[in-house]
Amino acid sequence: MRAAFAVFLAVATAVALAFLVLPVVAIFVQVPPSDLLHALGQDVTRDALVVSLKTSAIAHAAVLVFGTPAAWLLARKRFPGRGLVLALVELPLVLPPAVAGIALLATFGRAGLLGDELNALGIQIPFTQTAVVLAVAFVESPFYLRGAIAAFEAIDTSLLDAARTLGASPARVFARLGLPLAAGGLGAASALALARGLGEFGATIIFAGSLQGVTQTLPLAIYAQFEADFDTALAISALFILVGALLLVALKLYPWFRFISISRSRFAPST
Amino acid sequence: MVPLHLDFSLPLRAFDVELALDVDAETVALVGPSGAGKTSVLRAVAGLARPARGRIACAEDVWFDSARGVDVRPEDRSVGYVFQEYALFPHLTVEQNVTFGGGRGDRLLWRLRIEHLAKTKPGELSGGERQRVAIARALARSPRVLLLDEPMAALDPHTRGAVRAELHDLLRELALPALLVTHDFEDAAALADRVGVLADGKLRQVGTPADLLGAPADPFVARLAGANVLSGVAARTANGLTGVLLDAGPTIFAADPGSGRTDVVVYPWDVSLAHEAPDDSALNHVRDEIVSLTPLGNRARVRLKLLTAEVTTASLERLRLQPGDRVVASFKATQARLLSRT
């Protein structure tokens, strides 16, 4: 009985691993390194790479700049309706990306919620690079906020209280204690959000379209190429896997870079 | 003008902390079991907890006054706060911790004998070193009030005595109004000029350690001060003493007058132990069985069925006492204090 269960566990694990790893292996088997370099030299790929890097960088910077203070507030303040706000923050996580695209159109589109105001200002957002940035920021921000809130909540409150009694203003407490003590968690959340943003597809294609050199990001380029030139689609996919693997390695290594954990330093036995 | 004036009510989950206390340039210890609201008192003084009503003033500066709508922010009160477990900033060095609030740390690092640790992070310090860093940090902005939350709790028993003596000297030298919170009456008596006993948010008794030991207000205070509290019925006897028939059986004699139901307070260090009832001036000899022996440095706590005695380890070895032995516990009638029940 015990042996049978052990075999069952081993088989289940092997099937799960094979299922997850095989497609990844398949891509590299189909794309020799020379083809990869060739595909990456093509205009479609280069344009998509530029659009992806530019829009992701802007969207990610915006998510960090607005998301970090927001996460600090949501983590440290207790107010009525906080649970609801936290649930709203996570809502985009459970939305299909296509729904996010439609929602963004309904907000920023010509006939959308803010359409009249934007028209009056002469601003058109859908099917521009701005739309890509908005779509990417929309889908990646919950990933960052969730991680950042958890990282800030993990800080021992008595440290923040101590800083207050030492004359530190709330802004100084945030800068000198909040940010450095949560740095590890913030970095991990940032990497996860960045990966999600780079892979954004559904919301972008609906809200921003797929114009080469303007709104066609790498995932959209894969979709555009997979009928025209499957090899290029394969090559871009391989590129993604490499970037994703790098981000994951960085995430797994992050505890090494973390500051000495709070609990350890507070309760460590005398040495 | 009193250096620190407290009179406030602070609602907690189970009860309200209600405290009226004036602190001069002295150390006042608040003692009580955990959950008595001791830390909440410190938090209210520091501005980290907001009382429902009342007044907190430091000399002429009003920090909190519900009637006038005053509530000064923690960073604008002049409070040095030594937190429980010290709350040192783990990512900053000792020197950066001490100078976090501004100012230079050299003199304080030197005064607390931690200048050699200036570049060390808190994670690498011993309990005693951490305590000194926390005190240096609390003093760095020359506060007008010092708050200490269980400053001895994170120390191991070996270093406790020396650290306590040092802290005592420092508190005398600073001559600041200081509020110290502890669950240990011995620490309180050793460090503070006055001791306040706190239970469920209310002060039961405030006085010098000698006051509290000599005349505890009630059985709770007496037990907290380490006393045996024995219940019984008192009656005047022919020899001019009071005889108390204990609920547990034996009768003991006390010099205090009393009658009816009463509690008798006997301190463990007033009780001596022998194999046979000695022929001495002590009137009370109770034959009892040893339940357990707990060494406390050069003394030992001997728990009998009826009461606890504290004797030197030297006596313990001389008498070869073991759990299960039957011994005679002796104390004078003057060492049995009566608490009249109200």
Side-chain angles (χ1 to χ4, degrees), chain A residues 247-262:
Chain A
L247 277 172
L248 264 186
V249 168
L251 269 179
K252 293 294 169 206
L253 286 180
Y254 103 86
W256 297 7
F257 302 122
R258 270 182 73 170
F259 292 99
I260 305 156
S261 91
I262 299 154

Side-chain angles (χ1 to χ4, degrees), chain A residues 74-75 79 81-91 146 149 153:
Chain A
L74 291 173
F79 53 86
R82 177 173 177 267
L84 184 71
V85 173
L86 290 181
L88 284 176
V89 162
E90 299 195 0
L91 188 61
R146 253 164 60 117
I149 290 171
E153 276 180 339

Side-chain angles (χ1 to χ4, degrees), chain A residues 158-159 161-170 172 176-177 180-181 259-260 262 264-271, chain B residues 43 46 48 74-75 79 81 83-85 87-92 100-101 121-124 126-127 130 137 141 156:
Chain A
S158 68
L159 298 180
D161 286 343
R164 295 292 299 279
T165 68
L166 292 169
S169 64
R172 197 170 139 80
R176 287 288 308 275
L177 295 181
L181 290 174
F259 292 99
I260 305 156
I262 299 154
R264 199 190 137 257
S265 60
R266 281 178 70 229
F267 301 112
S270 33
T271 42
Chain B
R43 294 181 62 81
L48 297 169
E75 56 265 39
V79 160
Y81 198 146
F83 284 77
Q84 193 167 8
E85 310 281 356
L88 299 178
F89 307 134
H91 60 306
L92 301 180
F100 185 88
K121 295 257 179 91
E124 298 156 43
S126 72
R130 250 178 272 174
R137 187 179 68 175
R141 298 198 334 138
D156 52 62

Side-chain angles (χ1 to χ4, degrees), chain A residues 114-168:
Chain A
L114 303 177
D116 292 341
E117 287 81 355
L118 292 171
N119 283 338
L121 293 169
I123 298 172
Q124 206 222 334
I125 291 178
F127 308 108
T128 64
Q129 225 163 50
T130 310
V132 181
V133 171
L134 289 178
V136 169
F138 186 82
V139 298
E140 79 158 67
S141 54
F143 285 86
Y144 181 66
L145 281 171
R146 253 164 60 117
I149 290 171
F152 284 138
E153 276 180 339
I155 298 176
D156 181 356
T157 312
S158 68
L159 298 180
L160 308 176
D161 286 343
R164 295 292 299 279
T165 68
L166 292 169

